[in-house]
Amino acid sequence: MTAATNCACPGFVNPYAADLPESADGPARGVNLGANGQTAAGLLTLVTTKTPTADGVGQADFLLVTIGANDMLPQLAKWRATGCPAACYTPAVDAVGSDISGILAAARTLRDKKPTQILVTDYWNVFADGDVASASETPAYMVWSDELTRALNSRICAAARGASAICVDLYAPFKGNGTQNPTSLLAGDGDHPNAAGYALITSTLLAATPPSR
């Protein structure tokens, strides 16, 4: 999602930086370190070893973190094969939360106590949603994917709060209380955002950014 590879648009990292208000020490220069297919486990490795990603994090006064959906893909395969209730997916959800805690701790270390604002987003759905999913999946899938997403979101936000970061909810902007159809905000794959979706993510992140002290 961060890489914006499924949208002929700038995503949300660079627009966020460009629109960051003066009250939050903006505007800023955005550097998008998102990689298509990246997992929380993979990102943890990148920020705890000497890599260009770690170097970039060390230079960033603002960090936008969106990670964890790709870690859930094995759970979808399990659900399709034999079913995957909460007892099945909870260990994977907890692993993502643990990895995010490690990522944020590593980010603080890389920043070497310099002032850093960290915003961590959750998801509207970690899998396909909207009209695309409704046409190709069963009602049971729609219920299950929503339940898993809500569980992951809770774990992501707990990790963010534990690291004194801001958890930015994307579920409500895209889906309201869960009954809102997010199709108008999604790309043709029903999974990634389209230009309108990325614009909404940008504005949601900006609204959640506090003024500098």
Side-chain angles (χ1 to χ4, degrees), residues 89-159:
Y89 62 68
T90 296
V93 166
D94 288 343
V96 168
S98 178
D99 287 337
I100 290 176
S101 294
I103 289 164
L104 300 181
R108 297 288 189 193
T109 298
L110 290 166
R111 289 292 295 153
D112 193 26
K113 299 181 180 179
K114 293 187 288 290
T116 309
Q117 189 66 261
I118 303 178
L119 289 83
V120 183
T121 76
D122 60 16
Y123 294 91
W124 58 94
N125 198 323
V126 296
F127 306 122
D129 204 337
D131 291 351
V132 169
S134 295
S136 60
E137 302 286 354
T138 64
Y141 162 90
M142 302 298 288
V143 172
W144 176 80
S145 66
D146 186 73
E147 290 176 349
L148 186 152
T149 298
R150 289 175 184 261
L152 181 64
N153 286 351
S154 178
R155 193 66 179 82
I156 287 171
C157 285

Side-chain angles (χ1 to χ4, degrees), residues 7 16 31 40-41 139 173 179 188 195 200 211:
C7 180
Y16 171 87
V31 177
T179 61
L200 178 59

Side-chain angles (χ1 to χ4, degrees), residues 29 55 152 204:
R29 180 177 67 89
D55 291 340
L152 181 64
T204 303

